[in-house]
Amino acid sequence: MIGKKKVVAPPPDQSMKDLARRGPHKVDRGDLGIVGLAGQVFAPRTGTDLPAIAFGHAWLRDSAAYRDLMFHLASWGIVVAAPDSERGPLASDIELATDLRAALTVVQSVRLGTSDAITVDPEKVGLVGHGFGAAAAVRAASAEALLGRPQIPVKALIPLFPAPTTATLLPAAESVTAPTLIVAGAGEIDSMAGNALVLAQTVGGDVVLRTLPGGDSKGLLERFSPKSLIGINGAERKLHAAVRAQVTGFLLHRLTGDERYAAFSDPEVAMGGLLVVDPATQRRADVDHFAQLLGVAPFDAAAEPPADERDTKGLPAAR
């Protein structure tokens, strides 16, 4: 029988273990400064028509906090460009989003590597961001023009532990059509620090929301120390492994069409300790985020006294 060979996908948990390890490619690092944009580029040492992403950093951070993550993605054949703009306390997600689009334009149009032999397929590009950078990635994936720079069609969007920025973020998210994977800490999906739930309910494309029990945004950040010399990057080890596997699997499926990793795009598949959340069935917190910060408990309808036990002002009747 003539036809495509059926792809046999490994179990999702096995894929998580495999993709948490370094891939088969040797990796080179470059500097975006050569094209007038501060930041880094990580790329496989060889390859043509490769997939690529632009990566947005968290607030008050830069690409140095994600060196191992970006190196890991490049080892699996994915070019990563990470601009280092907007690092101050008054950073703008729109400015960073504009630079993410600029970074994608660079890797799409410039030959990479010492021999200029590495090329990116313009049809295989995506966006990834962490925290504040996740908001920038959402804006970069949206249909809106950003400071005169038009939309670049992308095939994948991954906000990692996304953080709220301005009131115009969610309207921009509505115009996103790229398949989206959102990864967040289970306790941060609807809080002062995280807006994963409302983002998942707003983006226009297919969305997968997975949470890490006990995980938080800070656990992804890499920190240089003497231990870095022996391969310990300072991030929370299990969280970092889970995130790099999730990002790698989703990008390999969405950007390259590798069906061995289709489970990473399935909104009903839990894997490697990550839980799946259906945004359509989730209710947002009854207490606003500022009240949560002050420790105010959410309203509990079950605790409300029956109408006949309240006085005429709606307060519980005296007993």
Side-chain angles (χ1 to χ4, degrees):
M1 183 176 179
I2 300 175
K4 290 185 177 180
K5 185 177 180 181
K6 184 178 180 180
V7 175
V8 178
D13 285 349
Q14 184 60 50
S15 291
M16 284 285 291
K17 292 179 181 178
D18 294 342
L19 294 176
R21 305 185 186 102
R22 287 280 164 83
H25 295 271
K26 293 183 178 180
V27 176
D28 285 332
R29 176 201 168 278
D31 196 325
L32 282 174
I34 197 171
V35 293
L37 185 64
Q40 301 186 79
V41 179
F42 289 82
R45 191 161 294 173
T46 59
T48 57
D49 295 328
L50 297 171
I53 63 160
F55 188 97
H57 60 77
W59 186 58
L60 297 179
R61 303 288 177 172
D62 60 19
S63 62
Y66 310 95
R67 183 192 179 283
D68 278 5
L69 176 58
M70 295 188 294
F71 190 103
H72 181 87
L73 293 174
S75 77
W76 281 96
I78 301 167
V79 174
V80 184
D84 275 337
S85 55
E86 300 302 306
R87 293 181 293 171
L90 300 180
S92 163
D93 59 340
I94 293 178
E95 294 274 2
L96 182 54
T98 304
D99 286 340
L100 290 174
R101 287 184 179 179
L104 279 184
T105 300
V106 168
V107 297
Q108 285 176 324
S109 56
V110 176
R111 287 181 175 269
L112 306 171
T114 55
S115 61
D116 293 335
I118 302 169
T119 61
V120 167
D121 186 337
E123 302 295 321
K124 299 178 182 178
V125 296
L127 290 155
V128 182
H130 175 226
F132 161 79
V138 170
R139 286 192 178 277
S142 73
E144 63 181 354
L146 300 172
L147 305 180
R149 187 173 290 274
Q151 177 189 19
I152 295 178
V154 296
K155 288 193 172 180
L157 168 65
I158 307 180
L160 300 171
F161 305 91
T165 51
T166 66
T168 58
L169 174 62
L170 294 181
E174 292 177 352
S175 67
V176 172
T177 58
T180 302
L181 168 67
I182 301 176
V183 179
E188 294 181 340
I189 64 170
D190 187 19
S191 66
M192 281 286 291
N195 64 343
L197 178 58
V198 66
L199 198 59
Q201 294 171 338
T202 304
V203 291
D206 294 335
V207 63
V208 180
L209 174 58
R210 291 194 175 102
T211 61
L212 281 157
D216 62 44
S217 181
K218 293 180 180 179
L220 184 61
L221 295 169
E222 300 166 18
R223 301 167 181 84
F224 180 80
S225 72
K227 292 182 178 179
S228 302
L229 300 176
I230 57 173
I232 300 175
N233 62 27
E236 201 286 306
R237 185 176 61 84
K238 290 184 178 180
L239 183 146
H240 198 279
V243 168
R244 63 180 182 259
Q246 282 288 299
V247 174
T248 305
F250 189 79
L251 292 177
L252 288 177
H253 179 237
R254 288 300 184 179
L255 299 186
T256 72
D258 194 330
E259 289 300 318
R260 290 176 297 173
Y261 305 113
F264 289 83
S265 298
D266 191 328
E268 298 182 356
V269 175
M271 59 180 75
L274 284 90
L275 306 178
V276 290
V277 178
D278 181 357
T281 65
Q282 299 298 306
R283 177 182 174 183
R284 297 194 62 196
D286 292 311
V287 174
D288 66 70
H289 295 156
F290 183 71
Q292 289 180 32
L293 187 65
L294 297 177
V296 177
F299 172 77
D300 185 355
E304 180 73 1
D308 59 358
E309 294 186 15
R310 283 178 278 174
D311 63 17
T312 56
K313 294 183 180 180
L315 299 175
R319 293 183 182 274

